[in-house]
Amino acid sequence: MKHKLIIGTLILCCFSAGLLRAQQSTWEYKINAGANLGGTSPLPLPEEIREIETFSPQILAPHVALEVTRRLTGKWGVSAQIALDYKGFSVDDRVKNLYTEIEMSDEKYTGSFTGKNNTRIHNSYITVPLAATCRIAKRWEIQAGVYVAYLYSSSFKGTASDGYIRQGSPIGEKTNVEQASFDFSDKQNPFDYGLTGAGEWALSTRFALRGQIAWGLNPLFSSNFTGVPFKMYNIYGTLGLSYRVNTCWL
């Protein structure tokens, strides 16, 4: 009787351990880290922008995320992330009859500006993507889904120079602009949302190369803001590494 009890206990322990391992294996946890590259742009480019002279992505634009995946089968799963994203760039362009708001010599001007424009954007978001995942090969996994993001730190500033502004309309009173500034940081929408996609290639049992894209569908500014006359959208890609915490690729 004693031997049967010991054997039964061992079988129960083995079964419980196997069940626990199976349950644990349906959940995967990853840490993703990389750099955001891209810009916030109107689509398509409006006719007011006549020439883009320089474009510089933000040097320090990190992406850090905790990702949880519920593995439904060996191939398919559903993942969710919470991420911290820094996004930004600087651009120099020449514009003609761009309706905007600028400040010069402590005086504000609203109208059609022609000349040189510099815009600098540095925004920080808390992003929550939700995506379907598919392991298409031993080393390859892809994702596709949607995201929503909260803008918790914003900076949209720039200068206007080497031109003139016609107040009110393209035929309004003309004022020469040697150097003026604008700051639309507090005019940005507090939320962004859009589509996301990603791909990973396993380097080892834990590490993988990761590429990701986030295509915004919500304009950066609300429709009643007149400082920027066209809709601008966040379009950024992320390159980096993924580290699997509790399961292995291979």
Side-chain angles (χ1 to χ4, degrees), residues 129-148:
L130 181 64
T133 70
C134 179
R135 188 165 293 169
I136 59 176
K138 187 177 182 180
R139 290 180 179 268
W140 278 102
E141 183 171 281
I142 59 174
Q143 297 178 344
V146 297
Y147 75 88
V148 62

Side-chain angles (χ1 to χ4, degrees), residues 26-248:
T26 61
W27 291 94
E28 297 176 357
Y29 302 92
K30 294 188 294 185
I31 298 173
N32 304 327
N36 285 312
L37 299 171
T40 306
S41 174
L43 292 174
L45 286 178
E47 62 180 7
E48 291 93 336
I49 299 177
R50 295 306 173 94
E51 179 185 1
I52 296 178
E53 295 182 339
T54 63
F55 177 87
S56 303
Q58 185 175 333
I59 297 176
L60 296 176
H63 162 86
V64 181
L66 173 63
E67 181 176 323
V68 179
T69 299
R70 177 70 163 92
R71 188 62 58 183
L72 304 176
T73 66
K75 183 178 181 179
W76 292 96
V78 178
S79 69
Q81 294 182 40
I82 182 166
L84 181 61
D85 282 302
Y86 295 86
K87 298 179 177 181
F89 67 96
S90 175
V91 63
D92 290 295
D93 52 28
R94 290 197 172 273
V95 300
K96 184 175 182 179
N97 293 332
L98 175 67
Y99 193 86
T100 187
E101 301 171 6
I102 60 175
E103 185 172 337
M104 183 172 55
S105 301
D106 296 326
E107 186 175 350
K108 292 185 177 180
Y109 296 83
T110 300
S112 297
F113 171 72
T114 297
K116 186 176 180 179
N117 170 71
N118 169 263
T119 301
R120 303 178 303 275
I121 300 176
H122 303 288
N123 289 335
S124 303
Y125 291 89
I126 296 175
T127 309
V128 180
L130 181 64
T133 70
C134 179
R135 188 165 293 169
I136 59 176
K138 187 177 182 180
R139 290 180 179 268
W140 278 102
E141 183 171 281
I142 59 174
Q143 297 178 344
V146 297
Y147 75 88
V148 62
Y150 170 70
L151 177 65
Y152 74 89
S153 176
S154 63
S155 178
F156 190 110
K157 301 178 181 180
T159 59
S161 61
D162 301 332
Y164 59 88
I165 187 169
R166 291 190 179 274
Q167 297 188 58
S169 71
I171 58 174
E173 181 183 351
K174 180 179 178 180
T175 302
N176 290 328
V177 177
E178 293 184 3
Q179 187 74 23
S181 63
F182 58 87
D183 186 350
F184 303 148
S185 301
D186 60 350
K187 305 298 183 181
Q188 298 184 75
N189 281 322
F191 290 97
D192 184 29
Y193 57 83
L195 305 176
T196 183
E200 290 186 359
W201 186 77
L203 295 170
S204 66
T205 56
R206 294 288 180 178
F207 288 95
L209 288 174
R210 181 179 177 88
Q212 182 173 308
I213 187 170
W215 193 293
L217 299 178
N218 192 36
L220 195 67
F221 298 103
S222 61
S223 58
N224 58 5
F225 176 62
T226 60
V228 178
F230 39 74
K231 295 180 180 180
M232 302 180 69
Y233 301 91
N234 286 322
I235 306 171
Y236 286 85
T238 306
L239 296 176
L241 291 173
S242 175
Y243 174 74
R244 292 177 177 262
V245 177
N246 72 320
T247 59
C248 300

